Amino acid sequence: MSEITLQMVVADLDRLPALPEVVQDLMDYLQRPEVDIGQVAYKIARDPALAAKLLRIANSSFYGLQRQVATIRDALTVLGLRAARTLVIGAAVVTHFQALVAVGYDQRAFWLHSAGTALCARALARELGANMENSFTAGLLHDIGRFILVALFPEAHRRVMAYRDEHDCYPIEAEQEILGFNHTQIGAALAVRWKFPAEIAVAIAHHHNPMDIPANSLVDLVHMADVMAHVLEFSGGNEKLVPCLSDAAWDRLGIGWVEFKRLLGEVDAQRDEAGWMLS
Amino acid sequence: MIQIISLDQILPGMVLGEEVMSGSNLLLPLGTVIQDAHIDSLRRCGVSEIVVLVPSEPSTAEINEQREVLRERVERLFRRASSNVTMQALRRAVLEYRLEKFK
C-alpha cells in the first residue's frame, strides 16, 4: 500500500486533461478590463457543450425571464458579462470533469451535491446581497478536490471510503486520518493552477473551517450552502452526514432560523435544476 | 369511504360510490365521474340523493408513523452532530422544515 502526499497530488494535477484551449482563452479574455460582448459570444460558441450549459443556466427559473433566450449573445446580455465570467468557469470545469470516468465511484451523486450547493449558495447570495454568480460557481466547485483524488488516486480514495464506512465519520476526517491532508487543499491547488478568481480559491480552501480565518463572506456563504445542500439531501445516500455548522460563520452571516427555513423551501422548489445542470 | 349527499350538493368531478337507479333502469353506473350533463339528467329523473366516494383521509396513526419516519431521517443525518447550540438549533430547524412541508 503506497502512501501519497499532498505534494504528489498537486504535482499530478498536470495529469488531468488540460482545460480546453477555448475555455482557457475565454478565461484569459474575460480578465481584461474591457471586453466585447460579441467576442465573448463568439468564443463561447466554439465550445458547444459549454454554450449549451450557459444557455440552460440563463434560462433557469431563477432569473425569472419572460421569454427563453436562444442565443449566447442574449444569454450574456441577460446575465451580464461579469456574471457570465464566473458561470463560464463553473460550467467549463463541470463539463470538463464530467468527461472523466472514475470506476466504482458514484459520480452522479457527487455532481448532484455540487450543483445543489451551487443553488443554495446562489439563494443565500441573493438573500445577503452578495455576488450571486461567484457564489454559484464557488458552490459548484467547493468539493472539486475530492473528485480529483478519485480521478488521480482511486486506490487512495477507496481506502478513505473504507475508513469512513468503518468509523461512520465525516469524509473529511477519514481523508485526514488516511492521507494526512484533505480535499479542500487539493481543490485550492487546482484553483490556483487553473487561475480561478482568488475569491473562489479561498472559498474552496476554507469551506470546512471558516472559523479559522478572518471574516470572509464568500467562505461563510459556501460553508452554509454545503450544510444546506446536505440538509436537502441532493445526493441521497443513507451514509450521508450534515457537516458541522460553524458558530462563527452562522453568526457572521446573520440569518435567522425562520429565514433559513424559507431559503430551504426556495431551493427545494428549484431542486430539478440540479439534475439538468448536469445533463 | 362513501357518503350520501343531496343532489344540490353534487359537484362535477365527484365519483359515484353506488349506481344510480330509476326504478329498474340503470341511470349511471358505479364509478361514474360526475359531469354537468349528468347533474341535469339526474334532476330531470327526479333523483334527490346520490352516494359518492369520499377520498379517505390518512388516519392519525398513519400520520404519526410518517412523522416518525421524517424524524428518524433527520436524526440519521445529524447522528454525528455535536451538542453545540448552533448545531442543535440547526437540527431543530431542519426537523421543523420537514414537518411543515409534510403537512
Side-chain angles (χ1 to χ4, degrees):
Chain A
M1 202 190 301
S2 60
E3 296 292 326
I4 63 164
T5 62
L6 179 59
Q7 286 68 30
M8 286 165 67
V9 180
V10 172
D12 265 22
L13 288 177
D14 290 338
R15 260 171 59 204
L16 293 169
L19 273 181
E21 203 184 320
V22 182
V23 175
Q24 204 69 63
D25 177 36
L26 192 59
M27 279 169 63
D28 288 345
Y29 184 74
L30 285 166
Q31 307 267 9
R32 296 188 190 180
E34 277 184 42
V35 295
D36 173 61
I37 200 162
Q39 274 291 313
V40 178
Y42 170 76
K43 287 175 192 292
I44 291 174
R46 284 166 59 208
D47 185 332
L50 177 61
K53 266 212 171 61
L54 203 65
L55 277 179
R56 229 174 268 142
I57 294 172
N59 281 320
S60 80
S61 62
F62 184 82
Y63 291 98
L65 302 186
Q66 297 295 319
R67 59 179 184 88
Q68 296 263 302
V69 294
T71 69
I72 293 296
R73 210 192 161 94
D74 287 347
L76 293 175
T77 312
V78 165
L79 297 168
L81 273 178
R82 271 173 56 92
R85 176 168 170 254
T86 51
L87 290 179
V88 164
I89 295 169
V93 173
V94 173
T95 310
H96 186 59
F97 276 111
Q98 274 183 304
L100 296 180
V101 178
V103 178
Y105 180 66
D106 189 350
Q107 289 174 80
R108 183 158 177 86
F110 173 85
W111 289 114
L112 278 175
H113 171 70
S114 299
T117 306
L119 296 177
C120 292
R122 193 173 60 177
L124 279 166
R126 179 155 70 181
E127 179 78 9
L128 298 165
N131 180 311
M132 292 190 279
E133 284 70 29
N134 266 0
S135 305
F136 182 89
T137 300
L140 195 57
L141 302 180
H142 75 289
D143 274 345
I144 196 69
R146 183 162 294 146
F147 194 78
I148 293 171
L149 184 67
V150 173
L152 293 180
F153 297 93
E155 216 292 300
H157 182 261
R158 269 193 291 278
R159 277 188 282 139
V160 169
M161 289 325 287
Y163 182 93
R164 200 229 68 84
D165 291 345
E166 191 186 333
H167 295 84
D168 193 27
C169 60
Y170 290 106
I172 191 169
E173 292 172 339
E175 290 166 351
Q176 208 60 53
E177 191 59 39
I178 295 295
L179 307 173
F181 57 93
N182 67 62
H183 67 283
T184 63
Q185 292 159 294
I186 305 173
L190 181 85
V192 171
R193 178 74 57 100
W194 283 5
K195 301 192 181 70
F196 294 173
E199 227 196 339
I200 291 178
V202 174
I204 293 173
H206 295 287
H207 72 274
H208 279 285
N209 61 332
M211 57 290 194
D212 295 341
I213 59 162
N216 175 310
S217 57
L218 189 64
V219 172
D220 289 344
L221 194 149
V222 172
H223 171 72
M224 183 79 236
D226 185 26
V227 169
M228 281 174 74
H230 274 103
V231 160
L232 290 169
E233 298 193 69
F234 274 91
S235 57
N238 202 35
E239 80 290 0
K240 292 292 185 321
L241 288 160
V242 174
C244 188
L245 173 59
S246 145
D247 299 330
W250 174 255
D251 291 343
R252 289 192 295 226
L253 287 170
I255 301 173
W257 293 111
V258 174
E259 290 78 32
F260 175 76
K261 285 192 281 179
R262 176 173 49 74
L263 288 167
L264 283 182
E266 265 176 35
V267 179
D268 219 348
Q270 302 165 10
R271 185 176 275 280
D272 293 347
E273 289 187 18
W276 53 247
M277 260 166 56
L278 308 177
S279 54
Chain B
M1 233 169 61
I2 56 171
Q3 192 185 354
I4 303 172
I5 60 169
S6 78
L7 199 61
D8 301 338
Q9 291 172 293
I10 197 168
L11 293 169
M14 285 181 170
V15 180
L16 289 185
E18 212 171 76
E19 59 203 8
V20 182
M21 305 293 286
S22 174
S24 58
N25 295 328
L26 176 68
L27 287 183
L28 293 172
L30 169 85
T32 303
V33 180
I34 297 296
Q35 295 168 11
D36 286 325
H38 295 138
I39 302 176
D40 293 340
S41 63
L42 289 171
R43 194 168 287 129
R44 276 199 301 277
C45 294
V47 175
S48 58
E49 283 181 340
I50 57 159
V51 179
V52 291
L53 288 177
V54 184
S56 60
E57 295 276 318
S59 69
T60 316
E62 280 167 345
I63 291 173
N64 284 342
E65 199 177 303
Q66 284 163 357
R67 290 169 67 96
E68 199 43 49
V69 170
L70 287 181
R71 203 165 274 134
E72 277 167 19
R73 187 70 200 166
V74 172
E75 289 307 322
R76 173 132 194 96
L77 284 171
F78 282 85
R79 67 192 180 280
R80 299 301 302 258
S82 66
S83 57
N84 94 47
V85 180
T86 309
M87 207 49 191
Q88 288 310 312
L90 175 68
R91 188 180 55 75
R92 275 196 303 278
V94 170
L95 182 60
E96 281 167 19
Y97 172 76
R98 293 202 176 191
L99 291 174
E100 282 162 22
K101 188 181 161 193
F102 167 67
K103 253 189 248 169

